[in-house]
Amino acid sequence: SATDEQEVEVEVEVADAAAGGSAAAAVAGAEDRPKWGSTAEFILAAVGSAVGLGNLLRFPFLVFSHGGAAFLVPYVLAVLCLGIPVLGMELMLGQVLQRGVCDGLAMLHARAWGIGVAATLASFLLASYYSIIMAWVWCFLVASVNEVMPWSDGRAADYF
């Protein structure tokens, strides 16, 4: 009957609203989002955001400080068991849902929205920390083009 169909439509709308929107709304929202120009563009952006000064400067120091190869075993295990699966999950959810991290996780479960907020906050804190490191790098780069290094005359404590 018409009443039963209306009840079913209302139940579907309520379920869609609880899940963060309907599939049609997800597709419509996906068309409005900017997309990568090519696969190579995405891969270069992802590698550029993942590889930073920590990989180039801090990691060799940590390996040396914590026993060389004995440090590499738990590191490789952590990368294989946590890093790659979580990265894969994030990339796959972004590809399928065509949403940001908060909206995408909210579509999976309403309470998962908080995980997206925490990830966004962690990214903001990391970017804040990284900008300070980059400022130090620029200061050292500018100071290193002088004939006499500012820290070479025995006053390194004053410079640093």
Side-chain angles (χ1 to χ4, degrees), residues 84-108:
I84 293 174
V86 170
L87 175 66
M89 179 201 71
E90 184 178 342
L91 292 174
M92 286 181 244
L93 282 176
Q95 178 71 24
V96 170
L97 299 177
Q98 296 291 309
R99 300 278 180 197
V101 66
C102 296
D103 293 336
L105 289 172
M107 287 179 72
L108 295 178

Side-chain angles (χ1 to χ4, degrees), residues 47-100:
V47 169
S49 67
V51 176
L53 288 176
N55 299 80
L56 301 176
L57 300 176
R58 189 163 185 248
F59 184 72
F61 170 75
L62 288 175
V63 170
F64 176 75
S65 299
H66 296 288
F71 176 75
L72 287 177
V73 172
Y75 178 80
V76 169
L77 285 174
V79 166
L80 292 176
C81 295
L82 291 173
I84 293 174
V86 170
L87 175 66
M89 179 201 71
E90 184 178 342
L91 292 174
M92 286 181 244
L93 282 176
Q95 178 71 24
V96 170
L97 299 177
Q98 296 291 309
R99 300 278 180 197

Side-chain angles (χ1 to χ4, degrees), residues 36 38-50:
W36 294 103
S38 67
T39 304
E41 183 181 353
F42 169 74
I43 290 173
L44 288 173
V47 169
S49 67

Side-chain angles (χ1 to χ4, degrees), residues 17-34:
S22 66
V27 171
E31 293 172 3
D32 297 338
R33 289 181 62 88

Side-chain angles (χ1 to χ4, degrees), residues 9 14 16 26 52 56 63 83 99 102 109 123 133 135 140 143 145 151:
E9 285 181 24
V14 169
D16 287 343
L56 301 176
V63 170
R99 300 278 180 197
C102 296
H109 192 278
S123 297
I133 292 175
F140 290 139
V145 296
W151 51 84

